Amino acid sequence: MLADVNAWLPPLGDLRLFAPELVLVGTIAAVLLVPLVAGRNPLLAGLIAMAGTVLALVATGGLAPRVADGPQGAFAAPGYAAALLADRFSVFFKLLLFAFLVLVIWLWLTGAAWRVTRPVRVGAIGGPEFFVLLLTSALGMLLMVGSLNLVVLLVAIETASLPSYALVASDRRSRMGAEAALKYVTFGAASAAIMVYGISLLFGRFGTLDLGAIATHLAAHPGTADTAFWIGLAAFAAGVLFKIAAVPMHLWCPDVFEGAPVEITTWLSVASKAAGLGLLLRVVTVLGPAPLHVEVATPLAWGVGVVAALTCTVGNLAALRQESVKRTLAYSSIAHAGYMMMAAAITLSPTAGGGGPGFTAVVAYLMVYVVMNLGAFGVTALVVWQTGSDHLSSFTALGRRAPWLAVPMAVCLFSLVGLPPLGGFTAKWYLLVALGKGAVAQPWLWILVAVAVINTALSLYYYVRIIRQMFLVENDALPAVPAPLGGVALVTGCAIVVLLLGTLWFNPLGERATILSERLFGLATTAERSQLAMVAPAADSASRAESPLTGAGVSG
Amino acid sequence: MLTIGLTHYLVLAAALLCCGLYVMTTKRNAVGILIGAELVLNAAALNLVAFARYGAGGLDGQVATLFVIVLAAAEAAIAIAIFVNYYRVLATIDADRGDTLKG
């Protein structure tokens, strides 16, 4: 066994499946090394990061046809399931993350170019280290959605988390940044430690670190879903819920989002949550829906449902009394994570006819959420750069002082509420339809429908408060707010897309999301996963025989 | 004569876990909280090695332990850098003293 492992080398083809990650790693190296030749230039580092990300986005697009026929396992040592997976699910999330990363770097570049011409009021962040950390956290998030191996997932979550802690403190003179980073790192260390303990329990119970193998084992021996399994799974979930910022692991989120530089808040509010949600969906898809798993899926569905309802309600209630716009948006992002987790609960309901509508809802919601959240944070960033504060009073009379910022902000905020004819309404519509369809088979889902509707009404108050401050409160003494053209283009683009998603793209979004979710999850069932686990080592040994180097190792 | 078996290791790891959780929840000093987290990580590492030795998992558990050790080191490095920065700004590493952000 030991000799066999020693002799094994991954086939070269496996590396091609991870071209996006490799491009990103190359970019990280370039960002670090180029300053040795060209000198320390923040703008240059930003441009290299941007170019590398665009290249990685293209590489991900090129990966799509390769995984069109089904999931591809990679790095499967003999006798083991694949350590990494490339499938439509991970390709979708990678495209989303890379596209978002491009926009965040664009936002940063806009701000950096703008600051050169302005008196600096907010601590400037930038430099090669900044982009190394940003890209490394992106790398971790990519890996989070591309594996079922518990150790790989652990490494991925930590790769995403550790640079994020440092990014929050990247403005080293900021008192709020230092405090936010301290809270983030202590919370993160605690939840990661608990997650590792959960992994050790799962490993002890099943003798494997592969979630697919655990699911297969559970299907074959229903009695193994015992206390040790549930404690292990709950402890593992602590780490995942930390990334999503779901109740009860949400306490870090508002402090970190308020204290971090606004570009980093933008990045974390979408990317960290999207990756955590992707991980959660993958875990529940593997453990849940197969018919043999009722005794696992039902408690799991209840667990996810209760956490989703709590997350949503806590987020919205806490947002009601915030004075800081960043903090309000942080609580709003907690609430939106709750809505998306509701859809995850439907996918687990054993008799709800599979997860189809639930997955469609998650995919549609994520696509809309990325755009409207970027718009809202983008405007906040532009206001913070000029006024030096994100307090509600900085937004006073913005409708007069900077209509080109106030109008996109209003569109994005109304969309976050979920009012028609905006994208947020489309997302909520698909969510409620999916919940309703699920509730026909599982009456307890009506509770989630009620929670979602009540929360939407609650959230109206604090979003509209910002809009009221921008348009109805007048103060003639305040000067106009100039803004860089690139930033205005970004937020206006977001507002236009949000508007289109609510009107012309209403049906296309649903159709696209349905196609995507069918493709994403059609092959991700437990049966096919375990089949993949069986096939992968065999396929690997075939390719190993072709390679003289590894072939010799095996015979020796 | 007493034979040391899986149970002994698991009980020790559980005791470490409880110590770690206690330290994490009661300490105000940020370094203390980090030490608590390290205790929990060590409990998990001990579990993994014990299960690898006595359970069905084989080498997987030991490989996982190596990863856990590396992650613990990386986490401590980042955490202590952040604590130093916090100290420079606030002249304390008491986690409770950072109360600018709340609500």
Side-chain angles (χ1 to χ4, degrees):
Chain A
M1 179 82 184
L2 193 59
D4 216 26
V5 174
N6 280 340
W8 179 76
L9 280 176
L12 194 62
D14 285 4
L15 288 179
R16 290 196 198 107
L17 287 172
F18 292 91
E21 281 90 342
L22 294 175
V23 170
L24 200 60
V25 170
T27 312
I28 292 169
V31 171
L32 266 181
L33 295 179
V34 166
L36 295 179
V37 186
R40 261 183 75 89
N41 183 345
L43 277 178
L44 180 66
L47 287 173
I48 296 171
M50 177 75 121
T53 312
V54 171
L55 205 62
L57 185 64
V58 173
T60 316
L63 198 61
R66 285 180 65 98
V67 296
D69 301 327
Q72 310 261 327
F75 306 112
Y80 288 84
L84 289 172
L85 293 172
D87 54 8
R88 292 182 180 114
F89 179 79
S90 62
V91 166
F92 168 71
F93 272 90
K94 282 172 191 175
L95 284 174
L96 197 74
L97 284 171
F98 279 129
F100 190 65
L101 186 57
V102 168
L103 295 173
V104 168
I105 298 175
W106 171 257
L107 184 67
W108 180 88
L109 281 172
T110 313
W114 172 246
R115 280 196 196 95
V116 174
T117 62
R118 312 291 306 176
V120 179
R121 300 208 194 174
V122 185
I125 50 165
E129 321 77 50
F130 175 78
F131 286 101
V132 169
L133 292 170
L134 183 65
L135 297 182
T136 313
S137 76
L139 180 67
M141 290 167 195
L142 297 179
L143 292 174
M144 273 168 73
V145 292
S147 181
L148 275 176
N149 186 299
L150 290 171
V151 170
V152 177
L153 287 179
L154 171 70
V155 173
I157 289 180
E158 291 293 277
T159 310
S161 295
L162 294 180
S164 309
Y165 304 150
L167 279 174
V168 169
S170 52
D171 178 8
R172 276 177 300 173
R173 282 163 304 177
S174 158
R175 186 187 167 97
M176 273 159 59
E179 185 185 326
L182 182 99
K183 287 179 176 170
Y184 198 9
V185 77
T186 46
F187 253 100
S191 66
I194 293 170
M195 181 175 71
V196 179
Y197 196 82
I199 289 174
S200 79
L201 286 184
L202 289 175
F203 173 68
R205 186 71 193 79
F206 297 97
T208 174
L209 286 164
D210 186 65
L211 271 173
I214 290 177
T216 316
H217 193 267
L218 277 173
H221 314 279
T224 48
D226 56 6
T227 318
F229 165 73
W230 285 112
I231 294 178
L233 194 66
F236 176 69
V240 181
L241 295 184
F242 169 77
K243 290 308 288 178
I244 307 177
V247 173
M249 310 301 290
H250 69 291
L251 294 167
W252 59 274
C253 180
D255 286 354
V256 168
F257 281 16
E258 189 183 354
V262 64
E263 295 91 336
I264 298 308
T265 308
T266 312
W267 169 242
L268 291 178
S269 73
V270 169
S272 168
K273 272 167 209 264
L277 208 70
L279 177 51
L280 178 80
L281 279 172
R282 199 185 269 288
V283 171
V284 299
T285 316
V286 168
L287 291 179
L292 284 168
H293 290 181
V294 175
E295 70 286 345
V296 177
T298 308
L300 207 55
W302 273 91
V304 175
V306 168
V307 170
L310 280 175
T311 305
C312 214
T313 313
V314 168
N316 277 323
L317 285 179
L320 292 179
R321 54 193 164 79
Q322 299 309 323
E323 293 292 320
S324 153
V325 171
K326 263 156 99 184
R327 205 173 173 86
T328 310
L329 289 176
Y331 278 117
S332 129
S333 80
I334 294 178
H336 282 279
Y339 294 127
M340 286 185 259
M341 282 180 73
M342 284 182 188
I346 316 170
T347 63
L348 276 165
S349 305
T351 52
F359 287 130
T360 305
V362 176
V363 170
Y365 210 114
L366 257 180
M367 291 201 272
V368 174
Y369 177 71
V370 167
V371 183
M372 59 191 182
N373 215 40
L374 180 67
F377 271 110
V379 173
T380 312
L382 294 168
V383 171
V384 169
W385 290 339
Q386 179 60 28
T387 63
S389 156
D390 67 314
H391 192 267
L392 201 55
S393 59
S394 300
F395 286 75
T396 307
L398 205 65
R400 173 183 58 78
R401 295 157 69 201
W404 49 89
L405 295 182
V407 171
M409 183 71 166
V411 169
C412 289
L413 289 177
F414 275 129
S415 175
L416 283 164
V417 181
L419 292 181
L422 300 167
F425 172 74
T426 317
K428 286 243 170 67
W429 170 262
Y430 286 118
L431 175 68
L432 289 176
V433 166
L435 278 171
K437 276 183 187 161
V440 173
Q442 293 271 311
W444 70 274
L445 286 172
W446 287 118
I447 304 171
L448 288 187
V449 175
V451 170
V453 171
I454 293 170
N455 270 295
T456 303
L458 268 179
S459 69
L460 188 64
Y461 169 75
Y462 61 84
Y463 291 123
V464 169
R465 204 160 72 120
I466 302 175
I467 295 169
R468 177 177 165 275
Q469 192 78 16
M470 290 193 303
F471 290 101
L472 298 181
V473 179
E474 259 313 319
N475 186 344
D476 291 334
L478 291 170
V481 177
L485 201 60
V488 174
L490 181 74
V491 295
T492 311
C494 285
I496 290 171
V497 172
V498 163
L499 206 58
L500 283 173
L501 283 170
T503 50
L504 290 178
W505 292 351
F506 187 96
N507 282 324
L509 177 72
E511 284 157 18
R512 187 86 199 124
T514 308
I515 294 168
L516 267 173
S517 63
E518 272 169 12
R519 288 190 180 165
L520 290 178
F521 299 99
L523 292 158
T525 59
T526 316
E528 277 149 320
R529 252 296 304 170
S530 57
Q531 201 181 357
L532 182 73
M534 299 302 156
V535 170
D540 169 62
S541 59
S543 62
R544 214 152 30 102
E546 291 161 16
S547 154
L549 179 67
T550 50
V554 169
S555 59
Chain B
M1 196 185 126
L2 179 72
T3 321
I4 304 287
L6 179 60
T7 316
H8 298 88
Y9 288 105
L10 294 188
V11 169
L12 175 62
L16 266 178
L17 170 77
C18 294
C19 289
L21 289 177
Y22 176 76
V23 170
M24 280 197 297
T25 45
T26 54
K27 284 281 173 191
R28 287 178 173 183
N29 187 312
V31 177
I33 299 172
L34 184 66
I35 291 174
E38 299 290 323
L39 281 177
V40 176
L41 278 174
N42 284 336
L46 192 60
N47 255 358
L48 283 168
V49 176
F51 282 132
R53 169 71 178 77
Y54 294 100
L59 276 178
D60 284 19
Q62 307 197 6
V63 174
T65 309
L66 287 177
F67 277 102
V68 172
I69 292 169
V70 172
L71 284 178
E75 200 166 67
I78 292 268
I80 288 178
I82 286 171
F83 296 165
V84 168
N85 182 47
Y86 183 80
Y87 183 78
R88 281 199 330 197
V89 178
L90 280 89
T92 173
I93 53 165
D94 196 344
D96 286 359
R97 295 281 289 283
D99 52 3
T100 321
L101 304 166
K102 59 187 169 200

